[in-house]
């Protein structure tokens, strides 16, 4: 049986103004890399708010791998549901974004075996990303029953990330 993957954009809050979804175009390239490794991919080319993630995952239930491109935009008022909340030391252990993702994965009949969570490259400095939030989320996801989580722990250009993904998934499919 051919393994499957769901690739989507996940936003902490509503997409704001003039968002053409350019970052989501990179999901096609990732799908091609996974396809070469023998993984059938479904790509959702829109930003899904974390609040609607449970329903989105329910619609696509039964995939082996999930690839979330994470956008930290928050709400126009900067409400605390954004993953990166510098007023609380970058993240709070039970922030709304983490809870929403965990709840969505818990609601699945069969959660993915592997979750890949990658930040959208910001317009500003890369060091503004809350890398610790991604690591904290990875820990929570594994505690919730997903076998593995792959995420970045620091900045990595897209070409290097894709160069890593190809052999990673090739090896994963070949020998686990």
């Amino acid at each position: 049986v051919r393994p499957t993957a769901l690739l989507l954009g996940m936003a902490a809050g509503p997409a704001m103004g003039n968002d053409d979804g350019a970052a989501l175009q990179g999901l096609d390239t990732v799908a091609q890399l996974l396809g070469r490794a023998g993984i059938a991919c479904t790509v959702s080319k829109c930003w899904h708010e974390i609040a609607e993630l449970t329903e989105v995952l329910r619609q696509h239930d039964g995939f082996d791998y999930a690839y979330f491109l994470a956008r930290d935009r928050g709400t126009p008022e900067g409400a605390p549901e954004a993953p990166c909340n510098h007023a609380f030391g970058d993240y709070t252990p039970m922030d709304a974004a983490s809870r929403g993702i965990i709840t969505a994965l818990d609601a699945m009949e069969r959660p993915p075996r592997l979750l890949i969570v990658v930040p959208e490259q910001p317009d500003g400095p890369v060091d503004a990303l809350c890398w610790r939030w991604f690591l904290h989320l990875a820990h929570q996801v594994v505690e919730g029953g997903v076998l593995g989580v792959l995420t970045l722990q620091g900045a990595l250009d897209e070409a290097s990330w894709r160069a890593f993904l190809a052999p990673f998934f090739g090896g994963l499919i070949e020998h686990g």
Side-chain angles (χ1 to χ4, degrees):
V1 175
R2 188 173 183 191
T4 59
L6 174 65
L7 291 74
L8 58 83
M10 171 186 69
M16 295 189 291
N18 305 328
D19 181 9
D20 62 1
L24 294 171
Q25 299 306 315
L27 293 176
D28 285 333
T29 304
V30 173
Q32 291 171 359
L33 292 171
L34 299 181
R36 282 187 229 133
I39 301 168
C41 296
T42 300
V43 179
S44 178
K45 287 189 187 174
C46 66
W47 291 106
H48 299 282
E49 288 185 48
I50 291 173
E52 67 185 35
L53 196 56
T54 298
E55 184 57 34
V56 172
L57 296 181
R58 183 174 289 131
Q59 292 171 4
H60 297 282
D61 204 15
F63 49 88
D64 300 297
Y65 309 112
Y67 187 101
F68 292 169
L69 178 63
R71 168 176 276 184
D72 180 12
R73 290 276 175 95
T75 61
E77 298 82 30
E81 63 263 42
C84 187
N85 189 337
H86 293 289
F88 294 102
D90 293 338
Y91 69 88
T92 56
M94 294 303 292
D95 65 21
S98 293
R99 275 194 314 272
I101 295 165
I102 299 303
T103 299
L105 292 168
D106 284 347
M108 296 180 71
E109 187 174 312
R110 183 178 64 92
R113 294 185 296 186
L114 177 67
L115 173 64
I116 301 97
V117 185
V118 182
E120 174 191 22
Q121 292 298 317
D123 294 332
V126 174
D127 61 350
L129 286 169
C130 292
W131 301 107
R132 291 182 288 170
W133 182 86
F134 288 99
L135 295 175
H136 182 74
L137 175 66
H139 175 76
Q140 289 181 308
V141 167
V142 170
E143 282 187 336
V146 174
L147 297 177
V149 179
L150 177 63
T151 190
L152 298 173
Q153 295 181 31
L156 184 66
D157 65 84
E158 286 187 45
S160 297
W161 174 243
R162 291 176 183 152
F164 164 77
L165 283 179
F168 176 81
F169 276 99
L172 184 67
I173 298 303
E174 185 180 321
H175 51 71

